[in-house]
Amino acid sequence: MSQHFVAWVRGAAPYIHAFRGKTFVIGFGGEIAAGEQAQKLAYDCNLLSALGIRLVLVHGARPQIDAELARRGVESRFHNNVRVTDADALDGVKAAIAVTRLELEALLSQGLPNTPMAGSYIRVTGGNFIIARPEGVVDGVDLQFTGAVRKILAEEIAADLDQQNVVLISPLGVSPSGEIFNLPLEHVAEEVAVALSAEKLLYLCDAPGLLDVDGKLIDSITADAAERMLKAGQGLTEDLDLYLPCAIRAVRKGVNRVHLIDRDRDGALLLEFFTHQGVGTVVSRDVLFRLREATVDDVGALVSLLAPLEADGTLVRRGRELLEQEITRFSVVEHDGMLVGCAALYPFSDEREAELACLAVMPEYREAGLGEMLLRRMERRAREQSLGALFVLTTRTAHWFRERGFVEVGPERLPSKKRDLYNFQRRSKVLVKTI
């Protein structure tokens, strides 16, 4: 148990470094605010804030509004799953949202001993950050005091975040004429994230995320693919039908990632942000994996990536100093800002060949095709240098290279400079591919 904990903390460290100072916007419905998950959400938000993440929380209150309107004898009316807010309903909306907000502020302000928030103090702020307009008449139905976001006062929110405050935003907006409008929380969260150029927008929803036709979780999806699912109505729950269009628009307008995760899963925020696998669906404008050339700043990550393979004899050991000297030979793959794969190219121009070395991918990502992606990059780099073949020395993965067009040859086939360095005790197999 202790070793599992140590491994988890060490695995989380790169994410902690990557996310410090970044802005996360978290949208969640009144179901969470009214349930026992609210307490645990407060604990996790406290931890995120303590780790230096700039947090904006956007809450909903639909169950609370329904209950308040029922108490007042006012009928809840909807059109296309959007509340029709007349004057009587607006009074109930304001009352329910005010109470919900106060309860959330109380949870976020805890600091009792023997709790995860012991010794902490979160300053929770808010304000008239949202300028709204009426939604108007839709399909012949006047939505009255149901509104839409007209503008987000992003500079004011950013100023609060700069003071290390957690900003809590309620789904109400005001117009220049002084009217108050009831707003959909998912649209507010989307517009806030876009206005702040947030690193992440996260929706807590009534599903584990998006599911494929076999009912399996889709861990990542592009905006285009998500839009196709939306149009087909594939695997959509009530929440996903509301949140997915916002997620698609948000990444297309500059939000780096949108996460859809299960509101009922304890610790879902921490599992999604601080583990390799995550627990929900990530929506991005483009594919999540980014292939690029390595820089000196990648040396530390390369050392960590290569160390296990060097320890078990799969790769020849390269020290940090050598990696720094040879960093321009490396290409790397990033996933969500974290280095998860690499490969290096060592040209032998006289023989018009190049060695493919240090091809490594983290175990969690070996089924994602990253090895082939890196191989294609190395082939292209070799062709750009007018080289005609790649060779590789390997003790463990000869079958992988054979399946991709490499042919086994003897050590005598190596370029002369490499042949002089061949380690006969290691007995690496030599494989060559014409490019």
Side-chain angles (χ1 to χ4, degrees):
M1 181 66 181
S2 60
Q3 286 303 112
H4 177 75
F5 172 76
V6 169
W8 185 89
V9 172
R10 288 172 177 166
Y15 298 103
I16 294 172
H17 298 315
F19 296 153
R20 184 178 294 117
K22 300 296 176 61
T23 300
F24 290 8
V25 177
I26 302 175
F28 56 94
E31 296 83 1
I32 290 180
E36 62 181 23
Q37 285 297 92
Q39 179 74 78
K40 295 173 181 177
L41 176 63
Y43 289 158
D44 292 348
C45 287
N46 173 73
L47 179 56
L48 294 176
S49 178
L51 292 173
I53 294 172
R54 295 153 60 93
L55 278 185
V56 181
L57 308 180
V58 181
H59 74 88
R62 178 174 285 193
Q64 293 86 342
I65 293 170
D66 288 342
E68 179 64 20
L69 294 185
R71 188 185 70 80
R72 293 170 179 241
V74 177
E75 179 187 3
S76 290
R77 294 189 296 134
F78 294 88
H79 177 67
N80 292 337
N81 208 21
V82 175
R83 187 182 300 278
V84 179
T85 312
D86 60 20
D88 290 336
L90 182 61
D91 288 339
V93 167
K94 291 187 291 185
I97 288 178
V99 171
T100 303
R101 180 186 179 86
L102 286 171
E103 290 174 346
L104 288 170
E105 286 184 351
L107 288 173
L108 291 167
S109 301
Q110 297 174 85
L112 292 174
N114 302 318
T115 74
M117 297 177 72
S120 69
Y121 176 69
I122 295 179
R123 294 186 298 273
V124 181
T125 62
N128 55 338
F129 300 134
I130 305 171
I131 298 175
R133 59 172 176 81
E135 190 67 70
V137 178
V138 178
D139 301 328
V141 178
D142 188 354
L143 299 180
Q144 301 184 58
F145 291 100
T146 296
V149 175
R150 181 177 174 183
K151 183 180 179 181
I152 300 293
L153 301 181
E155 297 84 0
E156 302 301 323
I157 299 175
D160 272 7
L161 294 173
D162 290 342
Q163 297 299 314
Q164 300 181 357
N165 298 326
V166 171
V167 177
L168 179 62
I169 295 179
S170 299
L172 291 174
V174 296
S175 71
S177 62
E179 293 177 295
I180 298 174
F181 289 97
N182 179 28
L183 307 174
L185 86 94
E186 61 273 12
H187 291 172
V188 174
E190 172 198 342
E191 295 292 346
V192 168
V194 170
L196 293 173
S197 299
E199 177 74 13
K200 294 183 182 293
L201 167 60
L202 184 139
Y203 289 112
L204 299 171
C205 55
D206 60 355
L210 292 174
L211 305 179
D212 63 18
V213 292
D214 298 320
K216 295 181 179 179
L217 180 68
I218 300 171
D219 56 5
S220 64
I221 190 169
T222 64
D224 290 345
E227 187 171 44
R228 289 193 291 270
M229 288 187 67
L230 184 64
K231 290 179 178 177
Q234 180 185 333
L236 299 182
T237 62
E238 182 179 3
D239 280 357
L240 290 175
D241 194 42
L242 295 171
Y243 298 161
L244 189 55
C246 298
I248 294 168
R249 288 193 300 267
V251 296
R252 287 175 172 169
K253 291 190 286 187
V255 175
N256 195 23
R257 302 281 187 267
V258 179
H259 299 249
L260 305 167
I261 65 173
D262 191 348
R263 69 188 181 203
D264 294 320
R265 180 159 186 175
D266 187 20
L269 290 179
L270 306 184
L271 291 168
E272 180 69 359
F273 293 147
F274 300 117
T275 65
H276 297 315
Q277 298 85 357
V279 293
T281 297
V282 183
V283 182
S284 61
R285 187 180 62 182
D286 304 308
V287 294
L288 282 180
F289 296 106
R290 184 167 76 95
L291 185 58
R292 61 172 176 80
E293 302 312 310
T295 70
V296 173
D297 293 336
D298 296 315
V299 169
L302 283 172
V303 170
S304 299
L305 177 63
L306 299 175
L309 297 173
E310 294 172 347
D312 69 11
T314 301
L315 295 178
V316 176
R317 186 180 181 280
R318 285 172 168 79
R320 178 183 289 268
E321 184 176 347
L322 183 59
L323 286 173
E324 290 177 353
Q325 294 171 358
E326 300 181 345
I327 195 64
T328 57
R329 303 188 184 277
F330 281 79
S331 295
V332 297
V333 180
E334 285 184 328
H335 177 270
D336 208 13
M338 183 175 177
L339 195 151
V340 297
C342 69
L345 189 74
Y346 292 84
F348 293 80
S349 300
D350 292 344
E351 284 95 341
R352 296 188 62 248
E353 295 185 355
E355 180 184 6
L356 169 61
C358 294
L359 180 58
V361 176
M362 290 182 68
E364 296 90 341
Y365 300 98
R366 287 176 185 167
E367 301 301 318
L370 302 188
E372 292 188 12
M373 185 189 302
L374 286 161
L375 174 58
R376 289 194 298 270
R377 170 61 71 94
M378 295 298 104
E379 290 175 351
R380 190 173 78 245
R381 287 181 60 179
R383 284 193 293 268
E384 289 171 352
Q385 298 178 48
S386 300
L387 304 177
L390 284 181
F391 69 87
V392 62
L393 280 71
T394 180
T395 58
R396 301 285 186 88
T397 57
H399 66 285
W400 189 90
F401 288 101
R402 288 195 195 101
E403 292 169 0
R404 287 151 182 85
F406 283 76
V407 177
E408 186 171 350
V409 297
E412 69 279 0
R413 170 66 177 72
L414 291 169
S416 57
K417 291 182 179 179
K418 185 67 178 180
R419 187 169 59 245
D420 293 341
L421 299 173
Y422 181 80
N423 186 340
F424 284 91
Q425 289 184 325
R426 183 172 168 82
R427 299 183 62 188
S428 298
K429 293 187 176 182
V430 180
L431 297 102
V432 177
K433 180 180 180 180
T434 300
I435 57 172

